[in-house]
Amino acid sequence: MGFSARRWAVGLAWPALFAQAAGAQAVLLQIRPRIGDTLRMHLSQTVEMTGTTRDQRGDKPSTMTTSVEVFTRAIAQQWTSGGTLMQTITDSVAMNPTTPGALAELRRRTMQAKPVWLRVSTDGAMEMVDDGDPHSELRQLFGEMPAMLARTAVSIGESWTREMQIPLASEPGAMGSVRATFRLDSLGRNGDIAYISMRGSMSRINTPGAPPAGPGYGTSGQLSGAIQIDRRLGWITDSKSSIIVRSTIASNSTRKGEPERAPMEVRTKITQWIRAMRAR
């Protein structure tokens, strides 16, 4: 092989060697927006509930679907030891279906919306710092969001597991335990964009003070999703997730002589899509 041929072969090998090095390189995934940045966020959420009762005449399904869209602005104000302190403002809220009275109330609350202070840690956990309205849309939709990112640097193909607790919408006061596995699938745009996939499971847990589950009641669920992190922006710019929860609720005791009612199976599917971008 001549000199030119050797140079040509080495040149062809460089991209493969670079790809292997990039894949082996560990990167730190953090939520850390620059102070002064304004991030515009658009949240779309759909909740579909289907209840099915089986009896001698067959299945009797009943479905109800609600959706909500929220447009917000988040302004990074200060770095603290617990994360970035951000001022969050709700610009508009839309809900479907809704009654005229509820729509008027939503518009009124949007017009009178006050800034909400949010602390976001580097691993993605969020908590309300000062919320003048305990029934605000932000608190209901975001609440206390648990951490999701690894606390140490990870390489492409590497996974990490996080466990968290979330409130169960079908049971006020009850909590569910979520065990989710995240995986860094790839890096794009010279390493600036991190693509992460997520899969997990959920089950009901007994917490002190929460009402015990009734007889014949069971809850389990599965979740999946995909996340994009802009490492230069220090923020999640795209997040899609789907949670499917299945519950079995035993029927109430029937009167003497009446046939026992079949249990109801409830399937709840929550689909959420959050997009964010830096305000120009």
Side-chain angles (χ1 to χ4, degrees):
M1 182 184 293
F3 177 76
S4 297
R6 286 196 298 270
R7 287 186 59 185
W8 180 74
V10 171
L12 288 179
W14 265 113
L17 293 173
F18 178 78
Q20 292 176 5
Q25 182 182 5
V27 295
L28 190 60
L29 305 175
Q30 287 191 332
I31 305 302
R32 192 179 175 90
R34 290 179 294 185
I35 301 303
D37 275 2
T38 297
L39 303 169
R40 294 189 178 275
M41 294 183 290
H42 177 195
L43 179 144
S44 303
Q45 179 175 286
T46 300
V47 179
E48 179 182 335
M49 296 185 66
T50 302
T52 304
T53 303
R54 292 185 171 89
D55 58 20
Q56 296 178 350
R57 291 171 292 182
D59 297 347
K60 294 183 177 180
S62 177
T63 301
M64 179 181 67
T65 302
T66 59
S67 61
V68 63
E69 281 193 291
V70 182
F71 291 86
T72 60
R73 285 171 289 149
I75 306 168
Q77 299 283 7
Q78 180 184 354
W79 281 329
T80 69
S81 58
T84 306
L85 194 61
M86 307 192 71
Q87 187 183 49
T88 308
I89 302 169
T90 303
D91 291 324
S92 65
V93 181
M95 188 177 296
N96 184 49
T98 184
T99 63
L103 184 59
E105 176 65 11
L106 273 176
R107 289 174 176 168
R108 182 190 67 80
R109 291 169 65 85
T110 301
M111 294 298 293
Q112 297 178 357
K114 298 180 180 180
V116 173
W117 289 95
L118 190 71
R119 181 181 289 113
V120 185
S121 66
T122 55
D123 59 10
M126 297 185 183
E127 63 172 336
M128 295 291 183
V129 177
D130 181 16
D131 185 3
D133 183 359
H135 304 291
S136 70
E137 285 75 22
L138 282 176
R139 180 175 290 276
Q140 293 180 25
L141 288 171
F142 293 101
E144 305 294 322
M145 295 189 68
M148 65 180 71
L149 300 181
R151 295 189 176 93
T152 58
V154 293
S155 302
I156 293 177
E158 189 174 350
S159 301
W160 63 96
T161 300
R162 303 303 296 263
E163 295 186 7
M164 58 196 83
Q165 293 184 7
I166 61 173
L168 296 179
S170 59
E171 293 183 84
M175 299 294 291
S177 174
V178 176
R179 180 180 176 86
T181 298
F182 300 85
R183 182 181 185 272
L184 176 59
D185 293 330
S186 62
L187 294 172
R189 203 188 298 169
N190 297 323
D192 289 342
I193 305 297
Y195 298 91
I196 301 168
S197 58
M198 173 192 68
R199 291 191 177 276
S201 59
M202 190 203 74
S203 59
R204 189 187 191 281
I205 59 175
N206 295 319
T207 55
Y217 190 97
T219 301
S220 63
Q222 300 291 325
L223 61 150
S224 61
I227 301 169
Q228 293 182 25
I229 297 179
D230 188 325
R231 299 180 62 222
R232 283 185 177 270
L233 186 63
W235 198 258
I236 297 175
T237 52
D238 197 291
S239 174
K240 295 180 180 178
S241 61
S242 176
I243 303 176
I244 298 177
V245 181
R246 291 180 171 85
S247 303
T248 302
I249 306 174
S251 61
N252 296 327
S253 58
T254 58
R255 296 179 181 178
K256 187 176 181 179
E258 292 184 356
E260 185 177 350
R261 297 178 183 176
M264 174 177 286
E265 297 181 0
V266 180
R267 178 184 182 270
T268 304
K269 182 178 181 180
I270 304 173
T271 305
Q272 191 178 82
W273 186 14
I274 302 176
R275 289 153 284 177
M277 62 179 295
R278 184 182 179 188
R280 302 297 181 184

